Amino acid sequence: MVSKPHGGKLVNRVADHETKEKIISEQKEYPRVRINHGIAIDLENIAHGLYSPLNGFLTQDEFESVLKTMRLRNDLPWTLPIVLDVQSPHFGEGDTILLHYESFPIARMHVEEIYPYKKTDLALKVFKTDDPAHPGVSRVYSMGDRLIGGSIELLNELPNPFAKYTLRPIETRVLFKEKRWKTIAAFQTRNVPHLGHEYVQKTALTFVDGILINPVLGKKKIGDYTDEAIIKSYEALFNNYYPKYTAVLTAIRYEMRYAGPREAVHHAIMRKNLGATHFIVGRDHAGVGNYYGPYEAWGIFDKFPDLGITPIFVKEVFYCRKCDGMANEKTCPHSDEFRTYLSGTKLRSMLINGESLNNLIRPEVLNAIKGLKNPFVD
Amino acid sequence: MKISIPKTLYEKIKARIEGTDFDSVSEYVTYVVREVLANLEEEKDITLTKEEEDKVKERLKALGYID
């Protein structure tokens, strides 16, 4: 049996055609609020149920509960505050507003509450630091001084160059049903695949019916791989090394927060809503710099016996010359002198410097990356 | 809010959590109850009508996910 949606019910907040037409024809009557790209993506994720059970942005009680207890007020695990910030709102509680990205109305929102919050408190609770050099903290400091909570209805989606790969929870659930998969391990990534990733994915696949490779597409930090590089390289891997009946490549559109442990749980919840029963948590999951311990994201899962998706913890993988293959601490008895560790940063630098990647990356994957004008975010 | 449990059970749990990450009997009981309740929760309302499911299948076929 695939995972139940988080909270028991898959949320659908996409306005039907008739409602959408009506709202758009009346759009001048609504106060208009400009939103950024990340908020527009959050709106899609709420509306399509990836953030189930949320049906909008958090109200004050829910926000404080998430910060303090990492749970919604109904006790359901929820670790990241999904919020909408505004500066000097020109509307009030009880109003209905339209959220615009550039010139497009993206969603209608029923404003339940407008409330103040402390940015430092938010940063310290979620990111465990108030250092503005942390990309998530920096984003918090750039937010408006009020949050607004309330339910939403999605009217339009942002253009999506990878629409083919962006399956919504209802679609992945039907897909798993069609494939007769009952146990599914989800693998989150924001990197191009090297042999270490493949080793982890196939190890997990050995014990479940199917593997869901689920890259995160969307705004990332400078130096990260572009969405195109991630998709093209995984296409090359899938076309050559994965059986179609046990592996699926789909993506989610989501803006990384780099909140380490808290975000690892959020990533698991999103995959639970897609129907996955297991979630692979690697080294420094959702981390950035040295803000979190290498395996800190593992420990947080102990606090959630009721998460409803099983984490699979995987130690750092390396290439061992003596074993002549990929291995990890648990499977390889040899010393460090025989091992090549494969961090994303190291692989990136090897790619940029044109160093040999033999035994570290599939040639088809390497060719796919080399075929791109620039595989990195500028 | 307080909930009563038998004293013998309390003592048993207290001994059980020594040397673990649980700071109190309350924390342990909360953990166990959450786990039990999560397993009992039932799925609600994600069944699609045949028409809706067919529509999703059509898209999955068009995208090459199913034959």
Side-chain angles (χ1 to χ4, degrees):
Chain A
M1 187 70 180
V2 301
S3 275
K4 300 165 189 171
H6 200 49
K9 183 179 176 178
L10 203 57
V11 166
N12 177 3
R13 302 292 299 176
V14 181
D16 60 48
H17 182 71
E18 209 171 274
T19 311
K20 180 181 157 181
E21 291 300 308
K22 186 171 183 294
I23 295 169
I24 288 176
S25 70
E26 295 168 350
Q27 62 175 299
K28 284 186 181 154
E29 294 170 25
Y30 297 105
R32 181 183 290 204
V33 173
R34 280 186 169 276
I35 56 170
N36 61 35
H37 191 271
I39 295 288
I41 295 296
D42 277 346
L43 283 163
E44 286 182 20
N45 290 339
I46 292 168
H48 287 288
L50 194 66
Y51 292 173
S52 295
L54 301 193
N55 61 13
F57 293 104
L58 298 184
T59 55
Q60 186 166 17
D61 281 353
E62 296 286 18
F63 170 74
E64 285 168 3
S65 176
V66 168
L67 286 197
K68 196 174 163 193
T69 69
M70 298 195 285
R71 288 174 179 272
L72 296 171
R73 276 172 52 80
N74 65 2
D75 202 50
L76 199 66
W78 196 272
T79 49
L80 283 190
I82 303 299
V83 291
L84 174 59
D85 62 295
V86 284
Q87 187 71 35
S88 313
H90 55 290
F91 50 85
E93 292 177 356
D95 285 350
T96 300
I97 59 175
L98 279 192
L99 304 177
H100 276 248
Y101 177 69
E102 295 176 346
S103 58
F104 299 103
I106 302 292
R108 179 166 75 167
M109 179 175 183
H110 306 280
V111 180
E112 206 176 307
E113 272 185 324
I114 304 173
Y115 56 95
Y117 68 108
K118 289 181 182 156
K119 292 182 182 180
T120 311
D121 191 40
L122 170 55
L124 286 171
K125 293 259 171 46
V126 174
F127 301 101
K128 301 177 86 174
T129 174
D130 59 358
D131 180 358
H134 183 295
V137 174
S138 157
R139 178 176 152 169
V140 169
Y141 287 158
S142 71
M143 284 164 56
D145 63 4
R146 292 283 187 278
L147 299 177
I148 54 178
S151 62
I152 62 99
E153 294 152 283
L154 190 73
L155 306 174
N156 287 305
E157 299 183 12
L158 298 182
N160 183 358
F162 299 101
K164 176 186 169 185
Y165 286 106
T166 315
L167 294 194
R168 307 303 186 181
I170 200 70
E171 293 168 332
T172 50
R173 287 169 176 276
V174 171
L175 176 60
F176 299 154
K177 190 177 162 191
E178 283 295 296
K179 287 185 173 290
R180 299 177 193 276
W181 292 357
K182 290 192 165 64
T183 52
I184 301 111
F187 182 85
Q188 132 104 27
T189 185
R190 48 191 162 113
N191 283 308
V192 300
H194 55 57
L195 284 175
H197 296 129
E198 192 180 330
Y199 169 87
V200 169
Q201 292 158 7
K202 288 184 172 171
T203 302
L205 179 53
T206 309
F207 299 99
V208 292
D209 297 333
I211 182 105
L212 171 69
I213 308 295
N214 201 220
V216 168
L217 305 183
K219 190 178 167 191
K220 298 188 188 71
K221 56 186 172 50
I222 292 169
D224 283 350
Y225 292 101
T226 61
D227 291 346
E228 189 185 18
I230 297 168
I231 291 293
K232 295 280 180 203
S233 58
Y234 263 103
E235 277 175 347
L237 185 68
F238 260 63
N239 291 340
N240 291 284
Y241 298 98
Y242 272 92
K244 205 177 171 186
Y245 61 93
T246 58
V248 162
L249 171 64
T250 79
I252 58 169
R253 294 218 287 176
Y254 170 80
E255 197 163 293
M256 286 289 301
R257 272 71 168 177
Y258 304 99
R262 275 194 185 235
E263 190 162 11
V265 175
H266 185 71
H267 288 173
I269 291 170
M270 290 192 285
R271 277 43 182 243
K272 177 186 174 187
N273 282 326
L274 290 171
T277 52
H278 296 73
F279 181 65
I280 298 166
V281 188
R283 185 185 181 279
D284 197 23
H285 192 105
V288 62
N290 294 316
Y291 291 99
Y292 311 105
Y295 295 106
E296 204 177 329
W298 293 12
I300 195 171
F301 283 87
D302 290 343
K303 296 182 193 301
F304 302 105
D306 48 346
L307 193 60
I309 181 167
T310 306
I312 300 174
F313 301 124
V314 183
K315 284 264 185 188
E316 186 172 19
V317 173
F318 46 79
Y319 174 74
C320 172
R321 287 195 302 285
K322 275 241 174 177
C323 295
D324 193 20
M326 291 294 154
N328 64 39
E329 266 176 36
K330 286 170 77 179
T331 63
C332 167
H334 307 116
S335 59
D336 258 358
E337 64 182 300
F338 299 105
R339 299 175 176 177
T340 304
Y341 288 86
L342 293 163
S343 75
T345 315
K346 185 171 179 184
L347 187 69
R348 251 189 303 270
S349 120
M350 290 171 86
L351 272 168
I352 290 167
N353 298 328
E355 292 174 43
S356 166
L357 291 163
N358 282 346
N359 301 318
L360 301 180
I361 194 165
R362 297 282 191 191
E364 295 86 348
V365 171
L366 189 57
N367 285 340
I369 299 168
K370 282 183 172 170
L372 298 169
K373 199 172 170 190
N374 181 7
F376 304 109
V377 175
D378 289 325
Chain B
M1 191 179 298
K2 287 180 182 172
I3 292 174
S4 301
I5 58 169
K7 192 165 187 293
T8 47
L9 179 59
Y10 177 89
E11 296 299 340
K12 207 170 167 182
I13 297 171
K14 203 172 163 193
R16 170 83 179 78
I17 64 174
E18 259 183 30
T20 71
D21 288 340
F22 292 104
D23 292 332
S24 66
V25 170
S26 289
E27 203 177 283
Y28 183 84
V29 170
T30 303
Y31 182 93
V32 171
V33 171
R34 276 177 173 153
E35 189 170 35
V36 170
L37 289 179
N39 287 332
L40 293 175
E41 266 174 20
E42 284 178 19
E43 185 175 325
K44 301 171 215 160
D45 198 22
I46 59 157
T47 24
L48 297 173
T49 61
K50 190 175 177 312
E51 201 177 52
E52 288 167 331
E53 189 166 329
D54 286 347
K55 203 172 156 189
V56 173
K57 279 186 199 167
E58 279 309 308
R59 178 161 195 259
L60 293 173
K61 265 184 201 164
L63 295 177
Y65 284 98
I66 53 178
D67 298 325

